[in-house]
Amino acid sequence: MSQAEMDQAEVVKSDTRTDTKQRILDAAEKLFAREGFHNTSLRAITGEAGANLAAVNYHFGSKEALLDKVIARRLLPLNELRRTRLLRVREESRLENRRPRVEETLRAFIEPTMEFRDSEPGADDFMSLIGRALSEPDDTVRKIFITHIKSIFYLLFETLCDALPEICRETIFWRLQFSMGALSHILRTVGKFELSHFPEGVNPLPDTDAMMAMLVPYLVQGMEVR
Amino acid sequence: MSQAEMDQAEVVKSDTRTDTKQRILDAAEKLFAREGFHNTSLRAITGEAGANLAAVNYHFGSKEALLDKVIARRLLPLNELRRTRLLRVREESRLENRRPRVEETLRAFIEPTMEFRDSEPGADDFMSLIGRALSEPDDTVRKIFITHIKSIFYLLFETLCDALPEICRETIFWRLQFSMGALSHILRTVGKFELSHFPEGVNPLPDTDAMMAMLVPYLVQGMEVR
DNA sequence: CAAAGATTCAAACAAGTGTTTAAATCATTC
DNA sequence: GAATGATTTAAACACTTGTTTGAATCTTTG
């Protein structure tokens, strides 16, 4: 019985963990992020992980199932952080009998992303991966990502609607799309610019705090127009 | 002598135009935009164009050279429109002894994009293509795109710096990055959303004017923060 | 018409893809 | 220590990729 079949049958993982699965997940995360899903071969992944070519199909079932695990492994815990913070924003505003504030709402979504990025090793690669997920031409990556992001996105959207009752839902939706575009663009490009592309007097690599200090006011202003 | 060699030698194109080149360019634009560069095979392109497989290598030299032509064919005229409008903004502000306005500067860059999109058939596919160009993991597409967009981007950046002298260049640069992220996100996703992803009460398909009416104020507010 | 050159065509090329298989090895349990 | 099941391994599978080739066809020119 293969590992993939065991997982599908929801059998509890064996107590003696082989770390081959982990090494493959790490290698896949890194390569998917840097080269893209379709430009990364299973041979490249297993080579990087020091595993046999057949290991991916044995442990995960297929390349696509591997991608799902790569995304779910980090996105599910991250979304729990986001959900906790968004619910706290909603609860606090309710207790204080006021509306949620746009800034704290956006921060509740974005800050866990950035903290996550700096905390776990390899998470920066993961951020590039999900930063690109929405713009992947291929259905594979996009659909898997949307599956895992959908509910938290709706919670963010509804909280913003509560924060901005005078603005119609449609306008808020599209402004949120603009914001997601800006955020994902930064997530996938920061640290990837080539020096030659910077005008003089521009620091190529602001740290996370400096980036947040520029990004959040930009997004808040855009959301609150009028 | 192949067509590609003739082009390389800068020989004048034969007066008897085969439209095979055009059909290949159109098919490639469509497929690159919808499936991505690496997910599109030459067989798919030549099949769509009703041409022989070898036609791409004969007329363009390679798949990569074809991509360059696909991008250059539309981006060079588009950038000329943008340059003309940006230079007019600069000239008018100079004559009136004032600074350029952020809104007219951004419009000078964005409006030609949108008008272009609606004018020529196939241009909507092209917009998806360049909307994704910056986020392609692979160097191929990104480098070709950057080559053709660099100078107009600098002109836009410098004009914004003139418009916002009280804000440091670095901040303006990153806000412009946020704006480019928002713009490219919209360019590549509009019309591609799945209905099921829209919260209720949100119109899935605003037209170009409605989108501009939401996007421009959003970007202007973000650029002008503080 | 005939020569010349541009274009198309079918076929093959070498290389790379994800997946499967069956034997070999390892780990655990009785 | 033998048996059982999980894991690893090398090899092959069927398929797709971009590119090249040399002959066939079309177009233009002399």
Side-chain angles (χ1 to χ4, degrees), chain A residues 1-4 6-7 12-26 49-52 55-56 58-60 73:
Chain A
M1 177 185 275
S2 76
Q3 183 69 36
M6 286 180 62
D7 285 358
V12 177
K13 287 170 186 170
S14 70
D15 42 341
T16 67
R17 314 280 280 97
T18 17
D19 56 354
T20 301
K21 280 185 79 163
Q22 299 300 323
R23 293 203 320 275
I24 289 177
L25 281 170
D26 291 340
N52 185 273
V56 167
Y58 174 75
H59 283 287
F60 299 93
R73 172 174 71 146

Side-chain angles (χ1 to χ4, degrees), chain A residues 115-176:
Chain A
E115 293 160 8
F116 204 70
R117 178 200 191 94
D118 293 338
S119 63
E120 309 193 25
D124 56 335
D125 276 330
F126 179 72
M127 289 306 153
S128 302
L129 179 59
I130 65 169
R132 204 187 313 114
L134 276 178
S135 63
E136 287 275 349
D138 184 69
D139 290 340
T140 318
V141 185
R142 214 176 57 244
K143 281 186 176 171
I144 292 176
F145 175 75
I146 288 177
T147 301
H148 290 122
I149 201 74
K150 200 170 175 178
S151 73
I152 192 72
F153 177 84
Y154 282 154
L155 180 59
L156 171 61
F157 172 66
E158 294 298 340
T159 307
L160 283 171
C161 288
D162 293 345
L164 298 162
E166 71 279 9
I167 302 180
C168 77
R169 287 166 62 85
E170 181 158 357
T171 301
I172 294 176
F173 176 82
W174 287 110
R175 287 181 187 172
L176 182 51

Side-chain angles (χ1 to χ4, degrees), chain B residues 110-126:
Chain B
I110 299 176
E111 281 180 349
T113 315
M114 297 298 191
E115 292 161 9
F116 204 70
R117 178 198 192 98
D118 293 338
S119 63
E120 308 193 24
D124 55 336
D125 276 328
F126 179 71

